[in-house]
Amino acid sequence: MRQPCLLIFLLVGSFFGQAQPRPASKPNIVLVYADDLGYGDLGCYGATKVATPNIDRLARGGLRFTRAHATSATCTPSRYALLTGEYPWRRKGTNIAPGDAAAIIEPGRTTLPAVLQKAGYQTGVVGKWHLGLGPPGGPDWNGEITKGPNDIGFDYSFLMPATGDRVPCVFVENHRVVALDPNDPIRVSFGEPVGNEPTGKDHPELLKMKPSHGHDNTIINGISRIGSMSGGKAARWTDEDLADVLTGKAIDFMDKHRSTPFFLYLSTHDIHVPRVPHQRFAGKSGLGPRGDVILQLDWTVGEILKALDRLGLTGNTLVVLSSDNGAVIDDGYQDGAVEKLSGHTPSGPLRGGKYSAFEGGTRVPLLVRWPGRVKPGVTDALVSQIDLLASLAKLTGRAVPAGQAPDSRDQLSAWLGETKTGRDHVVEHAVSGTLSVVKGFWKYIEPSQGVKINKNTNTETGADAQPQLYDLATDWAERQNVAAAHSDKIRELAALLQEVRKGIVAAK
Ligand code: NG6
Ligand code: CA
């Protein structure tokens, strides 16, 4: 009797497309990496002026981190660290990349997707890339685009090559620009202008959203961008549809690989500028486009969670949601974000934001849900995204070769909530290059020259010619520099930072 029952069970299971059981060490992994999402932008992190019910559902079903960090306060370096397990400030060429940058991560390196690929995962990236493509000199937009994600461990890629506000405004699927008409070749330049399309600088009357700083070059879809572009008209994206397109591609990937372990890196355009929501969300938050694209991001997460439920994969899928850097309000377009804040606090209780050495630069939301393994709750463990590589290698039974991912540590127990002890220290990296270190609850910001307030974004940079020391246990907001009273701590943390810089502090 037992065998026929089992047979019927298997037949019914496969008829309904249920995933086969697989070892608990090989859950599917979905990493939703939001762009510029601040510590205070989500309901589950205390936001009251904007509703994020789907992300809050994810938080309720998983672990919410209060002390999680991106490595850097901008995109390219944080993503470099996430994928390579190496601090970006160790390498030249890892700062905010232009839209035609050559590939920053060399094929052959041990990367997060390569580790999972070797562990038997189908690996895919959908969304913002911003880590360069192609050989030195940049990619061939009209031919085969080499040295992209597919060369460093991803089986599938569907990309926005750089950012929403940088040309080229086209999608790249695997090695080619999608829907490119060969009779209308793409040209891109971040130096001398190419082609003769109108620019925001010369034709502001053509704009549906005006820049506030920069962003005044080629106009695409009524929005002027950083960089000059001509051609590729049929291939250009529509900003209003970006979330729909990326979410759709992400769900297709999960659908297609429902029966093998998969790793999906869904790198959303939201909530980066230009903030141009679909009309379903436009005007719905009451906080202007910045609030509306938070609603859109929440919708994306809802769709992903729904798809996992539909595919019967929720129980055995590790979902991670985080952000590449902290919040920014005016990041270059006059989109009403400042005027319509209406009491919303994008960085929550933290000081500074994107670009900054203060906590608002790199301390970001982090949610980890895995119903089969992670007990829901809140954790104060100090963690850094740089550890995802070594931690997931540990989970999936892969060794990281010596010399690779040098700064990534196995912190799996902290990421899964099995211990409240995270890293003993975390290094933070501001756009200026200034480094800070948090050890326990002490935060040290090294002395640096430079303006205290970025006048474009109105962000406090954290720069100070004097060393700064904050006690984050009592002063989350870094209001009181207590350096004068703790010269021993300053010495200790400055020495630690030096050792990390020199690579003396063992990573593993
Ligand atoms: C800055 C852009 C900003 C944004 C940022 C990158 C200007 C004036 N500002 O240079 O709008 O694109 O680069 O953001 O051009 S990130 O999240 O991708 O790092
Ligand atoms: Ca970013």
Side-chain angles (χ1 to χ4, degrees), residues 35-36 74-75 96 128 130 163 165-166 213-215 226 272-273 324-325 331 354-355:
D35 202 347
D36 297 0
T74 54
C75 164
I96 303 174
K128 174 176 175 173
H130 211 188
T163 62
D165 55 346
R166 283 172 177 76
H213 49 270
H215 302 96
I226 308 173
H272 199 277
V273 296
D324 64 343
N325 52 252
D331 206 17
K354 179 176 180 177
Y355 308 114

Side-chain angles (χ1 to χ4, degrees), residues 310-326:
R310 172 173 58 81
L311 295 168
L313 297 176
T314 299
N316 196 22
T317 300
L318 171 63
V319 179
V320 177
L321 179 140
S322 199
S323 177
D324 64 343
N325 52 252

Side-chain angles (χ1 to χ4, degrees), residues 149-498:
N150 300 55
D151 304 286
I152 60 163
F154 285 107
D155 297 308
Y156 173 75
S157 60
F158 185 92
L159 308 176
M160 300 169 66
T163 62
D165 55 346
R166 283 172 177 76
V167 299
C169 300
V170 296
F171 298 116
V172 173
E173 190 166 30
N174 297 318
H175 297 284
R176 296 208 171 254
V177 169
V178 177
L180 178 65
D181 173 359
N183 298 315
D184 184 25
I186 293 174
R187 286 199 296 152
V188 168
S189 169
F190 284 76
E192 287 300 300
V194 289
N196 52 14
E197 291 190 38
T199 64
K201 185 160 189 268
D202 296 336
H203 291 282
E205 77 284 359
L206 298 177
L207 297 173
K208 62 183 178 195
M209 185 188 276
K210 293 195 170 42
S212 56
H213 49 270
H215 302 96
D216 60 358
N217 212 319
T218 304
I219 301 174
I220 288 167
N221 188 29
I223 301 159
S224 47
R225 317 278 166 158
I226 308 173
S228 178
M229 173 175 183
S230 73
K233 287 237 160 74
R236 295 181 184 186
W237 69 53
T238 305
D239 303 81
E240 288 81 349
D241 296 335
L242 280 174
D244 284 0
V245 171
L246 300 182
T247 305
K249 291 287 171 187
I251 292 174
D252 287 351
F253 178 83
M254 298 196 296
D255 238 315
K256 189 163 172 209
H257 300 294
R258 61 171 79 175
S259 6
T260 45
F262 60 76
F263 167 53
L264 169 66
Y265 168 37
L266 171 55
S267 171
T268 68
H269 160 65
D270 291 323
I271 62 168
H272 199 277
V273 296
R275 302 167 183 134
V276 191
H278 189 272
Q279 64 179 26
R280 302 196 300 284
F281 305 104
K284 294 289 156 58
S285 69
L287 304 182
R290 189 176 184 282
D292 298 345
V293 295
I294 294 177
L295 301 185
Q296 187 166 269
L297 172 71
D298 186 66
W299 169 83
T300 290
V301 173
E303 292 302 295
I304 298 294
L305 299 184
K306 250 194 264 170
L308 288 173
D309 286 346
R310 172 173 58 81
L311 295 168
L313 297 176
T314 299
N316 196 22
T317 300
L318 171 63
V319 179
V320 177
L321 179 140
S322 199
S323 177
D324 64 343
N325 52 252
V328 58
I329 303 168
D330 176 352
D331 206 17
Y333 290 98
Q334 299 176 39
D335 60 7
V338 177
E339 299 80 350
K340 294 187 178 155
L341 259 188
S342 316
H344 176 62
T345 49
S347 295
L350 307 178
R351 189 169 180 183
K354 179 176 180 177
Y355 308 114
S356 169
F358 289 128
E359 291 290 282
T362 62
R363 202 202 274 199
V364 287
L366 174 66
L367 305 174
V368 173
R369 188 190 79 170
W370 181 7
R373 177 92 179 255
V374 171
K375 211 169 126 225
V378 179
T379 175
D380 296 333
L382 184 63
V383 294
S384 167
Q385 292 169 2
I386 202 159
D387 296 330
L388 204 55
L389 191 157
S391 304
L392 292 181
K394 169 75 173 188
L395 175 67
T396 56
R398 301 295 309 177
V400 178
Q404 295 288 313
D407 300 303
S408 190
R409 296 178 171 191
D410 166 22
Q411 286 282 311
L412 186 64
S413 311
W415 281 70
L416 299 183
E418 290 160 3
T419 162
K420 294 245 165 186
T421 315
R423 279 184 152 253
D424 56 310
H425 72 272
V426 151
V427 175
E428 304 178 26
H429 173 216
V431 70
S432 58
T434 300
L435 298 185
S436 314
V437 64
V438 175
K439 186 171 185 218
F441 283 95
W442 290 107
K443 163 136 178 214
Y444 165 71
I445 307 178
E446 66 180 2
S448 66
Q449 305 303 323
V451 293
K452 293 205 182 222
I453 303 224
N454 174 328
K455 69 174 180 359
N456 287 332
T457 57
N458 200 24
T459 313
E460 289 192 281
T461 63
D464 198 315
Q466 299 304 316
Q468 295 172 75
L469 184 73
Y470 297 98
D471 178 2
L472 299 179
T474 56
D475 182 22
W476 274 49
E478 296 166 282
R479 289 285 157 210
Q480 204 149 15
N481 180 3
V482 294
H486 297 276
S487 49
D488 51 337
K489 264 289 156 207
I490 294 272
R491 262 197 305 279
E492 178 196 331
L493 294 182
L496 171 60
L497 200 48
Q498 264 323 89

